[in-house]
Amino acid sequence: MFNIIQKTFQYGNQQVTLETGRMARQADGAVVVTMGDTVVLVTVCFAKPSGELEYKGMLPLTVNYQEKPYAAGKIPGGFFKREGKPSEKETLTSRLLDRPIRPLFPEGFCQEVQIIATVISLDPNVDGEIPALLGASAALAISGLPIAANLAAAKVGYRNGEFLLNPSNKELETSQLDLIVAGTKKAALMVESEADQLSEQVMLDAVFFGHEHMQIAIDAITEFANEVNKPKCNWQPAPINTALKSSIEAALSEKIKAAYQIKAKGERQEELAKIRNEALLQFVNNDDAPIKEAEIKAEVERLESFIVRNEIINNKVRIDGRDLTTVRQIVPKIAVLPKTHGSALFTRGETQALAICTLGTERDAQIIDSIDGEYRETFMLHYNFPPFSVGECGFVGTPKRREIGHGKLAKRAIVPVLPGIENFPYVIRVVSEVLESNGSSSMATVCGTSLALMDAGVPIKAPVAGIAMGLVKEEDKFAVLSDILGDEDHLGDMDFKVAGTANGVTALQMDIKIEGIDRNIMDIALKQAKEGRLHILGIMSEIINQSRTNISSNAPRILMMQVKSDKIKDIIGKGGATIRSIVEKTGVNIDIDDDGLVKIASVDEQAGLDAKKEIEMIIADAEIGKIYDGKVVKIVDFGAFVNFLPGKDGLVHISQLAEGRVEKVEDILKEGQAVRVKVLDVDRQGRIKLSIKEAEANNDNNSDADNNNNNSNINAISN
C-alpha cells in the first residue's frame, strides 16, 4: 500500500530524516521532515492546464506555513477552540519560505503552485523554520516542477567568537546572532538576521558559514529526489516572438529611455503608462498577426529592464541621475506631534515615514499565545503602508504579509539597542506610517523609529539607521547600488537591506532574484552599505544624537520599589481592598510581581509619589523609639488601641496615660481622637506597646468643666 522512501543525514547537532510515500500521497510532492522531535509535513501542488496558459507577468506561487497547537500538546485558546487567522510568526515564516523558492522557477512559468508546510510535532529546542525550508525544497524536487536547483537552509548563531550551526532555542538566548540563510549549491539566495552590533566581516563570514554547511542538506535532497525519480512535467517556455520584439524595440526604445530620465517618480510612471498604452493600441490591432496583450506587456517590460540595466552597467548612471553610491537627500525632524510621547518624520528622497512612539505600563504588553508557550511582548513595532503612499486608491484593512514582514525587519534592527525592562520599565510601541514610498520604506522606518525613541526619552544604546542596496548583474559585469529606488528594486537582481549603528550591524535581509551572488559581491555590498549607513547616521545626529534625559510630560511616570514577598498581601489587602483604595485615591496604576517588585504608573508625578508613600507606610515596620501620628481605634478597660501605621495597631496601657492613677481611659481618650505616639517595644509575637506623646482636644459637646478637666489631663500627658 505504501511505497516509502527515506533519507537520513546528520545536520549540525540534529539528525534529519526526509520521508515520502506515507502521508498526503495525492499531492504532487509530499515530504515529512523530522529534525529532533519536530516534525513538519510539506506538500506541493500545481495546476495542470489543459490548454495554453496566458502569462500574467508573475509566478502565481502561494506559500503557507502553519503551526498546529496539537503539535505541542496544546488546545487553542479563545472561545472557538480552533485555529483562526495566521499568527505573526506563521505569516513571517511563510514569507521566509517564499523568498528563496520563487527565484528557482524559470521565467515565463505561470502555472499556479501552492506549498503548505504544517508543523505536526514540535520539539521546544527545534523551531519549525529550517525543517519547513528543507521540506519545501525536497517536496519541490520530487513534484515534477521545472525548478532550476535544489535548495537548503541553515540557521547560524555566534557566541564567544565562534559560529553555531542550527543552534537550539536555548543556545540562541546567549547568541549575538540569529541568522537564517537559504541557497543552492552555487550561491546564497536569501538571508534574514538579527545581530548585536556585529561587524560586516562577521556577518559575511556567518552567511558563508551557513552556505558551506548546508551543502550536506542539498546533497541529501538531491539523492532523495533521484531515488524517488519522478519525471518533470512537460513545460516549455513560450517561444520569443522575434518580430514583435524587434518592432517594439524600434518603436519604443527612445521613448522609454527618455521616460526613465525623468527624476520624479509620479511623472515618470505617468509617462511610462502612456507609452505602454500606446504599445497596446499599436500592436494588438495588428490584423496580419493578432497578438495577445500579455505578450506585448511582457516584451515592453523586458525592453524597460534592458534599457535601465544597460545604463547602470555600462554608463554607471541611474534612473534619477545619481551615481552608484550616492544616497538621496535626507531631511529628519523630531517632535512633530505635540501630544504623542515621541515622534519623528524621516524623509529620504521620495520615501517618507512618520514614526510615533508610545510608552505604556506592563499591562499594555502584548500577550502572545503560541505553540511555544504564552509570553508577553514588551516592544511592538507596527508598519502601515496605506495606498496613498504610492499615489493609488486601494483597500484599507488588516495588515498584509508585506506590512508584517517590513515591520518585523525594522523591529529586528531596533531590538539590540533597546534598554532592558529592568532598567526602563516601560512597554514600548512604535507605529510607522509610510506617507510616501519610492524605495525601502522599511529602512526609513528603522531611521524614523530610532529618532522617535530618542525623542521619547527611551535610553537606547546607540542610534540605528538602515539602507537598501541593489544589484544589476550581466554575466561578469555587475554594479552595486546604494539607496535603491522602487524601479531599481523591481528591475534589479537583489534587494539587500542592512541596518545598524556606527558600531556594527543589527539586522540584515537579502533576497536574490538570480541564481545567487558570490562572496565578493556581498562583501562589496556590505562595505558600501556601511558607508551609506554612517552617512545617514551623521545627518540624523545633527537633529538628535542621544536620547532625551527625561521622558515626555504626556507619558506615564513609573516609580519602582522593591518590597519583601511577605508584604505583598498587606499592599493588596483583603479582597484587593487596600490596593484598590490607593488607586482610587491617587489615580495611579499599580502592578506587583511575585518577587515583590512594585511599579506605580501615573501621568501626574505627584500622584505617583503619593501612592508610593502610602505603600511605604503599609509595609513599614514599627521602629522602637520613633514617634508616629495615629488615631484611637478602640477603648478597653486597660488602655487604648491606636492605629499609627496602615494595618498596624499598638496598645497604650492605662498606666501610660497620666502621671497619677486614671480610673477610666475614657476620661483621657476617645475613639477617633488623633494622637501622637511613641513606640516603646515590639515583642516576639509582634505586639506593639505605645506611649502617648500628644493628643488633640476632644470636641464632643462635653460641658465646659469636662473640657477643662480633659485639657488638664492632655497637658499632663504632654508633659
Side-chain angles (χ1 to χ4, degrees):
M1 183 176 183
F2 299 109
N3 180 24
I4 299 171
I5 296 173
Q6 286 187 342
K7 179 69 180 178
T8 299
F9 60 97
Q10 192 68 28
Y11 200 23
N13 294 326
Q14 299 291 344
Q15 189 178 71
V16 178
T17 299
L18 308 175
E19 179 187 283
T20 190
R22 190 192 305 271
M23 296 187 189
R25 291 172 296 160
Q26 294 187 43
D28 292 302
V31 175
V32 176
V33 183
T34 303
M35 188 170 178
D37 285 337
T38 292
V39 182
V40 183
L41 168 65
V42 187
T43 60
V44 173
C45 292
F46 63 93
K48 292 84 176 174
S50 55
E52 184 182 353
L53 277 172
E54 181 176 318
Y55 181 55
K56 301 176 182 178
M58 65 174 290
L59 171 67
L61 168 67
T62 304
V63 180
N64 295 100
Y65 169 88
Q66 48 191 12
E67 295 180 329
K68 299 295 185 178
Y70 59 70
K74 294 181 64 177
I75 295 174
F79 182 79
F80 293 103
K81 299 299 177 186
R82 184 176 183 139
E83 295 83 357
K85 69 176 185 178
S87 67
E88 182 175 289
K89 184 191 175 184
E90 288 173 313
T91 299
L92 293 168
T93 308
S94 296
R95 282 172 52 87
L96 194 74
L97 270 63
D98 184 297
R99 285 158 44 201
I101 289 171
R102 196 170 287 273
L104 300 178
F105 287 87
E107 184 181 354
F109 186 86
C110 56
Q111 293 172 224
E112 185 177 0
V113 180
Q114 184 178 40
I115 300 172
I116 301 176
T118 308
V119 179
I120 54 178
S121 178
L122 182 70
D123 184 334
N125 277 318
V126 181
D127 201 84
E129 296 165 326
I130 298 301
L133 275 161
L134 296 176
S137 176
L140 283 168
I142 66 172
S143 68
L145 283 165
I147 56 172
N150 292 327
L151 180 83
K155 183 171 284 193
V156 180
Y158 185 71
R159 186 178 59 199
N160 300 327
E162 294 184 355
F163 292 113
L164 309 173
L165 178 63
N166 295 325
S168 67
N169 291 337
K170 186 74 174 175
E171 289 175 312
L172 283 174
E173 291 176 5
T174 56
S175 173
Q176 293 174 270
L177 176 68
D178 182 358
L179 179 145
I180 292 179
V181 55
T184 61
K185 195 80 174 173
K186 293 182 179 180
L189 289 175
M190 185 276 297
V191 178
E192 181 83 40
S193 69
E194 179 181 319
D196 188 8
Q197 301 185 70
L198 294 177
S199 70
E200 280 72 12
Q201 186 61 49
V202 171
M203 298 300 292
L204 183 65
D205 290 343
V207 171
F208 285 94
F209 171 86
H211 183 258
E212 176 188 346
H213 284 80
M214 74 172 63
Q215 300 306 314
I216 187 173
I218 293 174
D219 292 340
I221 290 169
T222 301
E223 293 170 11
F224 178 72
N226 290 339
E227 191 171 346
V228 174
N229 195 27
K230 186 170 184 177
K232 299 289 184 183
C233 68
N234 185 23
W235 178 85
Q236 295 294 328
I240 296 175
N241 187 332
T242 54
L244 176 65
K245 183 174 182 292
S246 299
S247 298
I248 287 178
E249 285 179 3
L252 303 181
S253 287
E254 293 304 317
K255 292 181 180 180
I256 291 174
K257 190 177 292 185
Y260 272 106
Q261 290 175 355
I262 300 172
K263 294 184 179 182
K265 175 187 173 183
E267 295 176 20
R268 181 172 66 251
Q269 294 294 344
E270 189 176 335
E271 184 62 26
L272 286 168
K274 182 179 176 183
I275 293 169
R276 292 163 189 155
N277 288 333
E278 288 177 359
L280 290 175
L281 291 172
Q282 181 177 348
F283 294 102
V284 168
N285 296 327
N286 186 342
D287 296 331
D288 297 332
I291 302 170
K292 294 180 179 179
E293 277 192 22
E295 196 174 354
I296 296 168
K297 288 178 180 178
E299 285 300 333
V300 172
E301 185 172 335
R302 288 192 190 100
L303 180 58
E304 289 181 25
S305 178
F306 172 78
I307 289 171
V308 172
R309 293 167 66 89
N310 183 67
E311 283 292 301
I312 292 171
I313 285 283
N314 295 316
N315 300 324
K316 310 300 181 189
V317 177
R318 299 165 65 176
I319 293 171
D320 58 0
R322 285 181 292 152
D323 61 23
L324 303 184
T325 61
T326 298
V327 176
R328 288 170 289 173
Q329 183 182 6
I330 292 172
V331 182
K333 184 176 176 58
I334 60 171
V336 292
L337 302 175
K339 294 299 288 183
T340 60
H341 301 165
S343 60
L345 183 67
F346 183 85
T347 307
R348 186 191 61 240
E350 293 178 299
T351 296
Q352 186 178 75
L354 176 64
I356 303 97
C357 175
T358 307
L359 304 179
T361 64
E362 195 172 305
R363 63 187 61 191
D364 294 311
Q366 183 181 12
I367 301 173
I368 306 294
D369 183 21
S370 72
I371 63 172
D372 299 317
E374 185 178 288
Y375 63 94
R376 288 177 174 267
E377 185 63 72
T378 58
F379 175 59
M380 296 158 277
L381 199 160
H382 297 143
Y383 166 103
N384 295 321
F385 193 87
F388 65 74
S389 65
V390 287
E392 296 177 356
C393 302
F395 179 73
V396 177
T398 55
K400 301 178 180 64
R401 280 188 175 188
R402 180 180 181 277
E403 290 174 292
I404 293 172
H406 280 40
K408 179 63 174 180
L409 173 59
K411 181 178 178 180
R412 283 180 180 273
I414 296 295
V415 164
V417 302
L418 289 176
I421 194 74
E422 65 280 358
N423 298 319
F424 189 72
Y426 289 89
V427 169
I428 305 168
R429 182 184 185 231
V430 176
V431 178
S432 174
E433 304 285 0
V434 178
L435 306 182
E436 298 179 37
S437 179
N438 183 15
S440 194
S441 53
S442 63
M443 294 297 96
T445 292
V446 170
C447 300
T449 297
S450 179
L451 292 168
L453 288 169
M454 289 190 287
D455 182 46
V458 178
I460 61 175
K461 298 171 187 174
V464 183
I467 187 170
M469 311 297 293
L471 173 72
V472 175
K473 188 175 185 296
E474 296 290 348
E475 297 179 351
D476 294 333
K477 293 182 178 181
F478 69 89
V480 176
L481 315 178
S482 295
D483 182 25
I484 56 175
L485 301 172
D487 285 338
E488 290 171 337
D489 183 6
H490 174 65
L491 300 173
D493 299 321
M494 176 180 76
D495 183 11
F496 188 53
K497 298 183 176 76
V498 186
T501 68
N503 299 321
V505 175
T506 56
L508 187 153
Q509 185 184 85
M510 181 184 76
D511 292 299
I512 304 295
K513 304 174 189 177
I514 52 179
E515 288 188 5
I517 61 172
D518 58 26
R519 187 184 183 98
N520 179 48
I521 294 177
M522 189 178 291
D523 187 23
I524 292 171
L526 279 168
K527 289 176 179 175
Q528 202 165 305
K530 182 178 182 180
E531 293 175 4
R533 183 174 83 246
L534 294 177
H535 168 73
I536 297 169
L537 284 169
I539 296 174
M540 289 167 57
S541 69
E542 295 174 5
I543 303 299
I544 186 170
N545 59 9
Q546 61 182 10
S547 300
R548 297 188 191 277
T549 53
N550 295 313
I551 62 172
S552 166
S553 59
N554 298 320
R557 263 59 179 169
I558 297 181
L559 300 175
M560 293 193 298
M561 56 188 298
Q562 188 70 46
V563 303
K564 295 178 181 178
S565 299
D566 59 357
K567 297 289 185 181
I568 296 175
K569 64 181 185 299
D570 297 330
I571 300 172
I572 295 173
K574 187 176 181 180
T578 304
I579 195 170
R580 188 164 55 248
S581 172
I582 298 171
V583 169
E584 290 173 355
K585 182 178 178 181
T586 60
V588 303
N589 290 324
I590 302 174
D591 292 303
I592 310 174
D593 66 20
D594 294 338
D595 296 325
L597 181 63
V598 181
K599 296 178 182 177
I600 305 165
S602 65
V603 175
D604 181 359
E605 187 172 7
Q606 186 56 50
L609 293 172
D610 291 343
K612 184 180 180 182
K613 185 177 180 181
E614 294 255 1
I615 293 173
E616 286 173 340
M617 291 178 66
I618 291 171
I619 64 173
D621 291 319
E623 296 182 32
I624 296 175
K626 189 172 181 179
I627 296 174
Y628 298 89
D629 289 326
K631 183 178 289 188
V632 178
V633 292
K634 188 177 182 181
I635 301 293
V636 292
D637 292 341
F638 50 85
F641 286 96
V642 175
N643 175 249
F644 63 98
L645 284 173
K648 287 185 174 59
D649 295 344
L651 173 66
V652 179
H653 193 267
I654 192 169
S655 63
Q656 295 288 334
L657 293 179
E659 293 180 1
R661 180 178 175 83
V662 177
E663 295 294 334
K664 287 186 178 181
V665 177
E666 290 90 338
D667 292 340
I668 306 297
L669 297 174
K670 304 291 184 184
E671 286 189 9
Q673 186 177 359
V675 293
R676 181 164 291 171
V677 295
K678 180 180 180 180
V679 177
L680 299 177
D681 187 31
V682 181
D683 65 17
R684 291 182 179 180
Q685 286 74 39
R687 291 175 298 197
I688 304 168
K689 297 179 181 178
L690 304 173
S691 67
I692 295 288
K693 296 299 293 179
E694 187 178 340
E696 72 174 6
N698 287 314
N699 295 311
D700 54 359
N701 299 320
N702 290 339
S703 66
D704 290 342
D706 289 338
N707 281 333
N708 290 333
N709 181 56
N710 196 50
N711 288 337
S712 64
N713 287 330
I714 292 172
N715 291 332
I717 293 172
S718 301
N719 294 330

